[in-house]
């Protein structure tokens, strides 16, 4: 009987020790995470002109659109950023910040000159009392449509994998029927619902596939026409991430990034492995 009681006590102590050890481990992991710079990595379509292959019809000057944008900016400002980064070249920072200061002086009308960067970026900055806006973009030309050219050319044949390329082109959400339904209804969605869809993890994966990775399935003979162009887009996003890292910041800063969804998707991949940044869940701010 005494041996049984002793054994139960030992088991109880062992369990408590394990629980305490796990709690300390979990606490340590939480502390490690909280030690990183928080980032709200927000993807969108371009409100104004864009040379991108995929465009969304949107009248940024309409009263309804302006009202929707104001509401979305309030949601995003709940993140309380101290640094705001936009899809603009760093060399234009002085120009951007001059426009930003003019908006702060007369905020009754949204600035549409820089599309979503000024409409949402400036307004989130105003609501969060951010002093300066940073451009982190980098431009590198590449051929979005080299895969379509090869597939549709009577003079060339895709020597790599037409089946996968065409599936990614024509049925990008084949394995995600619910996402496919939402995407098919995209044009009928409100601005908020469009932005929620764009920032879904599966949709961000799609942004990388459709802008770069599907090109890895096309090439002529033993060439790498698709991969070469995909590499340029990867390279551009690496430079964007490097520009982000040029900005002086401390662990107390909170960074709001607003860019086209493909760039958002790439930044997500880089920051997942970063010892510096911790991304918050964008969808929690779009309610």
């Amino acid at each position: 009987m005494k041996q049984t009681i002793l054994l139960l006590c030992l088991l109880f102590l062992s369990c408590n020790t394990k629980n305490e050890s796990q709690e300390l481990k979990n606490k340590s992991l939480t502390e490690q995470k909280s030690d990183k710079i928080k980032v709200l990595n927000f993807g969108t379509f371009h409100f104004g002109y864009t040379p991108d292959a995929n465009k969304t019809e949107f009248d940024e000057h309409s009263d309804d659109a302006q009202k929707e944008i104001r509401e979305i900016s309030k949601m995003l400002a709940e993140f309380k950023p101290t640094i705001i980064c936009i899809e603009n070249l760093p060399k234009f920072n002085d120009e951007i910040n001059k426009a930003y200061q003019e908006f702060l002086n007369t905020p009754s009308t949204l600035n549409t000159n820089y599309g979503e960067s000024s409409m949402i970026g400036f307004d989130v900055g105003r609501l969060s009392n951010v002093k300066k806006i940073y451009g982190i973009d980098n431009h590198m030309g590449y051929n979005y449509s080299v895969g379509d050219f090869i597939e549709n050319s009577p003079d060339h044949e895709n020597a790599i994998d037409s089946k996968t390329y065409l599936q990614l082109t024509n049925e990008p959400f084949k394995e995600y029927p619910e996402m496919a339904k939402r995407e098919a209804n995209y044009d009928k969605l409100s601005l908020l619902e469009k932005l929620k869809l764009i920032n879904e993890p599966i949709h961000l994966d799609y942004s990388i596939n459709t802008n770069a990775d599907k090109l890895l399935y096309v090439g002529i003979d033993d060439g790498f026409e698709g991969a070469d162009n995909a590499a340029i887009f990867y390279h551009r996003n690496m430079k964007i991430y490097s520009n982000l890292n040029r900005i002086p910041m401390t662990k107390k800063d909170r960074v709001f990034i607003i860019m086209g969804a493909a760039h958002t998707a790439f930044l997500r991949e880089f920051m997942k492995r970063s010892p510096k940044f911790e991304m918050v869940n964008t969808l929690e701010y779009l309610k």
Side-chain angles (χ1 to χ4, degrees):
M1 183 67 178
K2 289 183 179 180
Q3 288 180 338
T4 302
I5 293 172
L6 179 61
L7 181 59
L8 288 171
C9 288
L10 289 172
L11 285 171
F12 177 77
L13 289 172
S14 176
C15 287
N16 274 353
T17 303
K18 286 181 180 179
N19 289 337
E20 289 172 1
S21 176
Q22 187 61 43
E23 285 176 8
L24 288 171
K25 185 178 180 180
N26 291 338
K27 184 178 179 182
S28 176
L29 288 171
T30 301
E31 289 173 351
Q32 287 175 17
K33 280 189 176 183
S34 65
D35 201 33
K36 294 184 179 182
I37 298 168
K38 302 297 186 296
V39 180
L40 176 50
N41 185 32
F42 175 68
T44 178
F45 62 88
H46 293 305
F47 289 178
Y49 166 78
T50 174
D52 291 356
N54 297 313
K55 302 176 179 66
T56 295
E57 292 298 324
F58 181 71
D59 181 6
E60 68 269 29
H61 299 286
S62 75
D63 291 341
D64 287 344
Q66 297 253 334
K67 184 178 179 181
E68 281 187 291
I69 289 167
R70 292 280 192 185
E71 291 301 316
I72 290 165
S73 294
K74 288 178 184 176
M75 296 175 192
L76 296 168
E78 289 295 319
F79 173 65
K80 297 179 174 59
T82 60
I83 292 173
I84 293 180
C85 301
I86 62 173
E87 190 173 335
N88 208 275
L89 296 174
K91 69 179 183 179
F92 296 126
N93 276 352
D94 288 344
E95 174 191 317
I96 285 289
N97 281 283
K98 181 181 177 182
Y100 177 50
Q101 291 303 318
E102 290 172 354
F103 169 71
L104 292 180
N105 291 331
T106 54
S108 57
T109 303
L110 292 175
N111 183 317
T112 61
N113 293 337
Y114 304 94
E116 69 283 353
S117 294
S118 55
M119 295 186 79
I120 291 181
F122 285 11
D123 208 31
V124 171
R126 176 185 68 85
L127 293 166
S128 307
N129 198 30
V130 171
K131 305 301 182 186
K132 184 177 179 181
I133 306 290
Y134 293 89
I136 59 172
D137 197 10
N138 182 275
H139 289 170
M140 295 180 70
Y142 87 113
N143 188 347
Y144 282 90
S145 57
V146 64
D148 293 342
F149 168 76
I150 292 171
E151 284 290 345
N152 297 321
S153 172
D155 300 320
H156 300 292
E157 181 179 348
N158 181 3
I160 300 183
D161 183 355
S162 287
K163 181 179 178 181
T164 303
Y165 176 81
L166 292 173
Q167 179 190 315
L168 288 170
T169 299
N170 300 320
E171 299 179 280
F173 300 110
K174 184 178 180 179
E175 297 178 3
Y176 305 99
E178 289 302 316
M179 184 69 71
K181 287 179 184 177
R182 291 171 68 188
E183 183 68 19
N185 197 43
Y186 180 81
D187 291 338
K188 298 178 182 178
L189 299 176
S190 68
L191 176 58
L192 178 58
E193 290 304 320
K194 283 185 174 78
L195 294 173
K196 284 182 179 180
L197 176 61
I198 287 170
N199 284 279
E200 289 276 3
I202 292 170
H203 210 280
L204 290 173
D205 287 342
Y206 156 75
S207 292
I208 294 179
N209 262 330
T210 196
N211 283 281
D213 286 5
K214 75 175 187 176
L215 295 180
L216 306 180
Y217 300 95
V218 292
I220 301 168
D221 298 327
D222 59 354
F224 298 97
E225 291 80 6
D228 288 341
N229 279 281
I232 296 171
F233 197 61
Y234 267 81
H235 194 189
R236 178 185 174 187
N237 285 284
M238 291 174 185
K239 289 186 175 184
I240 289 171
Y241 187 57
S242 292
N243 279 336
L244 172 64
N245 286 306
R246 291 180 195 276
I247 299 170
M249 57 182 78
T250 71
K251 292 176 180 178
K252 293 182 180 179
D253 279 309
R254 298 172 69 82
V255 185
F256 173 62
I257 306 172
I258 175 170
M259 303 197 82
H263 304 307
T264 302
F266 273 98
L267 289 175
R268 178 188 67 155
E269 294 305 307
F270 300 145
M271 284 189 279
K272 274 181 183 177
R273 302 183 293 276
S274 170
K276 179 178 181 180
F277 298 114
E278 178 189 349
M279 288 177 291
V280 300
N281 183 353
T282 300
L283 298 175
E284 290 184 358
Y285 290 88
L286 295 174
K287 294 181 178 178

